[in-house]
Amino acid sequence: MTLFARLPARTLLALAGILMASPAFAEGGPGGGGFELIFIIVMMVVFYFFLIRPQTKRAKEHRELVGGLAKGDEVVTSGGILGKINKVTEDYVVIEIANNLEVKVQKHAVQATLPKGTIKSV
């Protein structure tokens, strides 16, 4: 799959607009337009490797984390709550944050899992 096939249609239209607005295209002169095209392609490659690819990698890791949650896991939520999972449903988890004090949060609010025994050491 090529880079252009992954880009949304709006991005491709924006790139076409940039190409047509370039001075070489407006002059209509022969040659001269190759540098702008190469520059835009290089910028797209840079954006892919520094912005798009790392973001999709983090999203994939978070999906795997959320999919692997189980009872007994010690987790940290995005709000900073530390707790132990008591119940897992399709969309929610019940986290025990103190003795007889449970909180129900969405699975996607879980930011990270912790090694066993971390809560006791805190």
Side-chain angles (χ1 to χ4, degrees), residues 27-78:
E27 292 173 5
F35 178 73
E36 287 86 4
L37 182 63
I38 292 171
F39 180 72
I40 290 173
I41 291 172
V42 168
M43 289 303 296
M44 287 175 44
V45 169
V46 167
F47 276 118
Y48 174 74
F49 281 107
F50 286 109
L51 296 175
I52 299 169
R53 188 169 176 243
Q55 183 177 0
T56 56
K57 185 177 177 184
R58 279 191 303 269
K60 180 182 175 187
E61 289 172 354
H62 189 257
R63 275 193 309 271
E64 291 172 357
L65 171 84
V66 168
L69 292 176
K71 183 177 178 178
D73 288 346
E74 296 181 1
V75 295
V76 176
T77 66
S78 57

Side-chain angles (χ1 to χ4, degrees), residues 4-5 34 49 64 69 85 89 93 121:
F4 291 112
F49 281 107
E64 291 172 357
L69 292 176
I85 296 178
T89 62
V93 293
S121 67

Side-chain angles (χ1 to χ4, degrees), residues 78-119:
S78 57
I81 297 173
L82 224 64
K84 187 175 185 178
I85 296 178
N86 279 347
K87 183 179 176 186
V88 179
T89 62
E90 188 174 329
D91 295 325
Y92 297 95
V93 293
V94 176
I95 301 174
E96 182 179 7
I97 56 177
N99 290 335
N100 298 323
L101 181 60
E102 294 180 341
V103 178
K104 183 185 250 186
V105 297
Q106 289 183 336
K107 276 186 171 182
H108 292 286
V110 174
Q111 186 176 1
T113 57
L114 302 171
K116 301 284 184 188
T118 303
I119 294 176

